[in-house]
Amino acid sequence: MTTHATDAVTDTRAGRRCHNALNSLHSTHYFSPDLGRELGALGVTDPRAVNFAARAAALGPVGAGAVTAAFYNYKHDLVARHVPAVWETVTPDQALAARLRAVDATLRRLLGEEVLASAELAEAAGLALRATEGCSRGARPLYSAHADLPVPDAPHLALWHAATLLREHRGDGHLAALLAAGLDGLEALVTHTATGKGMAPKWIFRTRGWTREEWDAAADRLRGRGLLDEAGGPTEEGTALRAAVERETDKLDAAPYAHLGPAGVARLTELGTGFARKALGAGAFPADLIGTS
């Protein structure tokens, strides 16, 4: 029995590593000038509206409440400033098509034509799509909405599509784990940033709509619960809570990687890590994106 439990932990951690590599590839388009250019040509010029249009379009022309619920860590006031107004400028179908054009341009620039045409990229696409066969729709709105979209023909876009499905599948489960841990959207951001692995506060203020005052108030609440120390770092209890959230997220997200199998997960992680490193080396993300200040 102990061996099986250990194997289960190892498998879920392997799934997390695989997700991290693929999520890096998925996330490149959020920081790409190509996304702003494509949606800007359709009249969506505010960077926040671009983000909402690109990620929420799979849900259809929904209102602010649905987007705030699905995204979890964005301030509702910011969401309501742009949604549903953005659908008066661009339809969800137009936003999805613009996003895919941006992803195509971004991956061509970051990875290069040789990588895009490689057998390794086609192999990664096949493995990632196979993993998505193990995903489930229940209580996963962003995953389920994206799962309704067609798989692109080009291997690099098929890989990105599969990475998106796996990212949103894990993300929907992660929100359930955060909710169960008693962390609201802003508190989730504060505790993640405190670990040194989350987005720097200035990027959160810029993209999520929270203010410094709201951030500080959330930190005070977390200190009151014994989760942050006076310097803003995680306490032992805070570290344990974040670790428990990640374990629960791993458990809720285990099915795709169990479906793919250990050998497939290892190979997809190897390939995805290589692509993510190449994208990172090509300047896919701002240098100051991650940090505690």
Side-chain angles (χ1 to χ4, degrees):
M1 294 295 291
T2 303
T3 300
H4 292 314
T6 302
D7 289 346
V9 171
T10 301
D11 289 344
T12 56
R13 289 176 180 172
R16 189 196 307 181
R17 289 192 294 271
C18 190
H19 161 268
N20 289 343
L22 294 177
N23 184 46
S24 295
L25 195 65
H26 161 87
S27 300
T28 55
H29 78 292
Y30 291 125
F31 302 92
S32 169
D34 301 306
L35 184 62
R37 186 185 67 248
E38 289 290 347
L39 279 163
L42 299 176
V44 182
T45 56
D46 187 291
R48 276 75 59 93
V50 166
N51 182 41
F52 293 133
R55 191 172 177 217
L59 295 168
V62 295
V67 174
T68 300
F71 285 21
Y72 195 73
N73 59 27
Y74 285 70
K75 187 177 180 180
H76 180 68
D77 291 354
L78 175 65
V79 178
R81 200 176 305 152
H82 299 287
V83 179
V86 70
W87 308 132
E88 298 173 7
T89 302
V90 62
T91 68
D93 284 345
Q94 289 172 327
L96 289 169
R99 180 178 70 167
L100 200 59
R101 291 193 299 271
V103 169
D104 180 49
T106 299
L107 293 181
R108 288 183 186 279
R109 175 166 44 81
L110 295 177
L111 300 182
E113 297 295 337
E114 184 176 347
V115 171
L116 265 57
S118 68
E120 288 79 9
L121 192 138
E123 179 188 2
L127 290 169
L129 288 169
R130 192 187 313 160
T132 67
E133 296 170 359
C135 294
S136 58
R137 290 179 179 267
R140 288 183 164 94
L142 275 174
Y143 160 75
S144 193
H146 283 87
D148 286 341
L149 302 179
V151 179
D153 292 328
H156 66 290
L157 296 180
L159 174 58
W160 179 85
H161 174 76
T164 301
L165 295 183
L166 294 169
R167 171 237 174 80
E168 300 298 7
H169 187 270
R170 182 178 179 87
D172 287 336
H174 186 59
L175 301 190
L178 290 169
L179 193 63
L183 295 173
D184 65 27
L186 180 53
E187 291 165 351
L189 291 170
V190 173
T191 54
H192 191 207
T193 295
T195 68
K197 299 177 182 179
M199 190 179 291
K202 63 180 177 182
W203 280 95
I204 291 171
F205 303 152
R206 187 182 308 175
T207 62
R208 269 48 174 179
W210 302 104
T211 65
R212 168 57 73 177
E213 291 72 23
E214 289 166 330
W215 178 274
D216 291 342
D220 284 341
R221 294 195 301 273
L222 294 164
R223 287 190 187 93
R225 292 174 58 185
L227 301 177
L228 290 185
D229 60 27
E230 287 305 313
T235 61
E236 184 175 343
E237 185 178 352
T239 298
L241 181 65
R242 285 299 315 195
V245 165
E246 293 305 323
R247 286 195 302 273
E248 181 63 15
T249 303
D250 289 344
K251 186 171 79 170
L252 293 172
D253 192 41
Y257 306 101
H259 180 77
L260 184 56
V265 170
R267 179 59 174 160
L268 182 55
T269 303
E270 177 188 9
L271 293 168
T273 299
F275 299 141
R277 285 175 177 167
K278 186 169 181 61
L280 183 63
F285 302 103
D288 59 351
L289 180 63
I290 304 300
T292 58
S293 61

